């Protein structure tokens, strides 16, 4: 049980992708405080391994970072979508490859004091050709195949920094 | 360069810990769109290794998750504080141990589409006794020493889920 029961909740702003809330929480008998948090969609990230043991990395522009980031394929889980379905969908949309086999690698909490959102990590194997379907905002995305050792080196050198990608690549390295 | 220059920025809400913004961005010549994002403090996470090769894990209640999470020590970087100073401060406050030696393990972006905030990861060694100084909200925090192998197993089994802790423990395992 959480030590702080929720007394009331106020929505501060409602956006298409980000909504902010302020909860009044009971800190102790008769003492309340506030907890600010945001609601964003859960995410998926996929380490997709091809027949030669190489994994797919995608590189794309990130608005807030003002630079290109190198990630494993993935994105937001849609409303009422299962994480595994989102992982299959995002992998095919971003790389044009379908997962014949998909195994869970774990679930992480990216920013647990600020949001309950989680990232669901997967290992995709037995890849088969599918249909590339990048979004308009992903027009500058590029696809790169790297050995797992090269991907781990990219994480260790700071070339991969997105939390889900870092976690998924390192977890895959321990698994494979 | 980002593909989307910022045309204007509107603050939607300003909190003590979380502020939300909506940017108007130029998607193409004459076409604008919006980007919602939140400002939260950068964080630090520290893998602190003792003389026996064990690392410090702290367990504490998390309000949004309504359960206890197991993490490596860390917390928010204060205004005008260097990440390394925040790492030393948080380690001592949460565990009562001071880092004689502190090496960077990397920097991750926890939720790069929603916030520019980053987590700075460190490896602390040559520990010396210091002063425990937990915050009131950390009254239920407990400290646990585990071998690095046990910590990696805890990550792989899903007992450690916070992104900075997952990344820091796995990066430390590759380093040591």
């Amino acid at each position: 049980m959480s030590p702080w029961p929720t007394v009331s909740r106020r929505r501060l702003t409602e956006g298409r992708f980000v909504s902010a809330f302020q909860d009044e929480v009971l800190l102790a008998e008769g003492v309340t405080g506030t907890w600010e948090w945001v609601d964003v969609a859960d995410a998926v990230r996929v380490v997709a391994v091809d027949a030669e043991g190489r994994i797919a990395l995608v590189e794309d522009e990130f608005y807030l970072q003002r630079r290109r980031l190198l990630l494993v394929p993935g994105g937001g889980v849609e409303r009422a979508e299962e994480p595994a379905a989102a992982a299959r969908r995002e992998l095919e949309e971003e790389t044009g490859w379908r997962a014949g086999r998909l195994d869970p690698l774990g679930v992480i909490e990216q920013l647990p004091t600020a949001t309950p959102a989680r990232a669901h990590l997967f290992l995709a194997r037995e890849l088969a050709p599918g249909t590339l379907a990048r979004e308009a905002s992903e027009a500058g995305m590029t696809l790169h195949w790297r050995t797992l050792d090269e991907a781990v080196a990219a994480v260790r050198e700071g070339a991969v920094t997105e939390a889900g990608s870092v976690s998924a690549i390192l977890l895959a390295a321990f698994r494979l």
Side-chain angles (χ1 to χ4, degrees), chain A:
Chain A
M1 203 198 81
S2 163
W4 307 298
T6 307
V7 177
S8 63
R9 172 163 298 167
R10 190 160 65 94
R11 188 194 295 267
L12 301 176
T13 175
E14 180 169 9
R16 189 171 160 206
F17 298 108
V18 180
S19 294
F21 296 85
Q22 188 180 64
D23 288 7
E24 185 185 3
V25 301
L26 192 65
L27 297 174
E29 189 67 32
V31 183
T32 61
T34 58
W35 195 281
E36 304 154 7
W37 61 280
V38 293
D39 184 33
V40 297
D42 272 20
V44 291
R45 288 287 154 202
V46 186
V47 173
V49 188
D50 76 1
E52 283 78 47
R54 299 173 308 170
I55 76 164
L57 294 176
V58 291
E59 194 189 87
D60 203 3
E61 297 281 353
F62 273 66
Y63 171 67
L64 296 174
Q65 286 70 29
R66 301 255 161 221
R67 63 183 177 89
R68 294 178 73 82
L69 296 186
L70 190 61
L71 303 91
V72 294
V77 177
E78 294 178 357
R79 199 173 300 273
E81 188 180 34
E82 288 296 322
R88 290 178 185 280
R89 178 181 54 72
E90 288 284 350
L91 175 63
E92 185 172 0
E93 286 176 1
E94 293 187 353
T95 70
W97 290 88
R98 286 185 187 177
R101 176 179 170 190
L102 192 74
D103 295 300
L105 272 175
V107 177
I108 61 169
E109 275 136 332
Q110 301 105 308
L111 218 48
T113 55
T115 177
R118 305 188 299 168
H120 307 262
L121 313 177
F122 293 93
L123 182 61
R125 284 177 281 193
E126 301 170 16
L127 305 184
T131 308
L132 200 68
R134 291 184 186 147
E135 294 168 34
S137 63
E138 297 171 337
M141 183 181 280
T142 52
L143 173 62
H144 309 268
W145 293 93
R146 297 285 179 265
T147 66
L148 189 55
D149 283 351
E150 287 169 343
V152 169
V155 169
R156 296 187 60 185
E157 291 160 7
V160 174
T161 55
E162 185 270 329
S165 299
V166 168
S167 302
I169 290 169
L170 298 182
L171 283 167
F174 274 98
R175 178 81 65 94
L176 297 173

